[in-house]
């Protein structure tokens, strides 16, 4: 445990990772400031030294994970023409739906102050679902130009379907619910193969 007066390196990520472990192991109801710092092996008051309370901590944790997923989505551009389209998309979607993802999002939405901070940050331009959707759309369009995605597929509609489904699973998932990852993998494979939403079907 870090003694008082001694700097803790990468304290934000250390606390974030500890919170994810607590939620994954014990459920959202077990998340307290003390549980996080105990799990992280830090001084008890460290969380409140770096965050304006537990609500702010939860909001910033969710925003940090959204930003990570958005960064990974933007990196899809560098994978154009490599691997499989479905596999590349899976890496982004599954980053959102990792073990603690649904529980953390549900926790944030159940705390009014945390939910408000997340909404305000996203409305202010913080990277989130919109950034992920835009990156997926651009990636699918690039793969389509290479002939790796059928011409009948509408990239924007597929991106909306993928991100919208991931958002739904994040908001409704939690301890005791089925693992959402297999369903998302099947959905991604179906959509990029042209067996789901297409430009013609959308217009019709």
């Amino acid at each position: 445990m870090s003694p008082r007066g001694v700097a803790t390196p990468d304290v934000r990520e250390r606390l974030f990772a500890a919170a994810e472990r607590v939620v994954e192991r014990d459920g959202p109801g077990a998340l307290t400031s003390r549980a996080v710092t105990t799990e992280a092996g830090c001084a008890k008051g460290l969380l409140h030294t770096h965050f304006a309370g537990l609500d702010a901590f939860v909001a910033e944790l969710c925003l940090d994970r959204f930003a990570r997923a958005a960064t990974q989505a933007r990196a899809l551009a560098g994978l154009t023409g490599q691997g499989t389209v479905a596999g590349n998309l899976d890496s982004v979607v599954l980053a959102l739906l990792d073990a603690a993802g649904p529980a953390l999002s549900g926790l944030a939405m159940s705390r009014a102050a945390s939910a408000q901070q997340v909404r305000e940050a996203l409305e202010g331009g913080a990277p989130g679902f919109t950034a992920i959707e835009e990156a997926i759309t651009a990636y699918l369009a690039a793969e389509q130009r290479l002939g790796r995605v059928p011409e009948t597929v509408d990239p924007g509609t597929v991106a909306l379907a993928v991100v919208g489904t991931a958002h739904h699973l994040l908001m409704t998932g939690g301890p005791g619910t089925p693992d959402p990852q297999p369903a998302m993998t099947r959905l991604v494979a179906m959509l990029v193969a042209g067996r789901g939403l297409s430009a013609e079907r959308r217009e019709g």
Side-chain angles (χ1 to χ4, degrees), residues 46-65:
L46 191 63
L47 186 148
H48 291 278
T49 299
H50 292 270
F51 301 90
L54 188 60
D55 286 329
F57 172 78
V58 169
E60 291 195 40
L61 169 55
C62 288
L63 289 167
D64 179 83
R65 290 344 190 200

Side-chain angles (χ1 to χ4, degrees), residues 4-201:
R4 291 183 180 275
V6 177
T8 303
D10 302 319
V11 64
R12 283 173 58 90
E13 179 53 35
R14 184 171 177 178
L15 292 172
F16 286 164
E20 289 180 321
R21 293 194 298 273
V22 170
V23 170
E24 183 180 356
R25 183 182 63 239
D26 304 321
L31 191 71
T32 63
S33 300
R34 177 166 293 187
V36 173
T37 52
T38 298
E39 180 71 24
C42 301
K44 294 179 181 178
L46 191 63
L47 186 148
H48 291 278
T49 299
H50 292 270
F51 301 90
L54 188 60
D55 286 329
F57 172 78
V58 169
E60 291 195 40
L61 169 55
C62 288
L63 289 167
D64 179 83
R65 290 344 190 200
F66 287 159
R68 283 189 174 196
T71 297
Q72 195 165 349
R74 294 189 184 105
L76 283 170
L79 298 178
T80 304
Q82 303 176 34
T84 67
V85 176
N88 292 339
L89 283 183
D90 268 349
S91 66
V92 174
V93 175
L94 299 186
L96 277 172
L97 299 176
D98 65 6
L104 287 174
S105 294
L107 173 65
M109 294 304 103
S110 70
R111 304 178 71 94
S114 298
Q116 181 64 25
Q117 289 180 51
V118 170
R119 282 195 296 270
E120 289 176 353
L122 294 176
E123 290 170 358
F129 291 107
T130 298
I132 296 170
E133 182 182 337
E134 291 172 348
I136 291 176
T137 299
Y139 167 69
L140 288 173
E143 292 284 24
Q144 197 170 51
R145 289 192 290 272
L146 294 181
R148 286 171 26 107
V149 171
E151 292 183 2
T152 54
V153 169
D154 177 35
T157 303
V158 171
L160 177 61
V162 170
V163 173
T165 302
H167 181 270
H168 167 73
L169 292 172
L170 280 171
M171 295 301 106
T172 59
T177 60
D179 181 359
Q181 296 186 0
M184 281 302 306
T185 295
R186 291 193 298 272
L187 176 66
V188 168
M190 179 185 72
L191 292 175
V192 300
R195 298 194 299 272
L197 300 171
S198 67
E200 290 180 358
R201 290 172 186 167

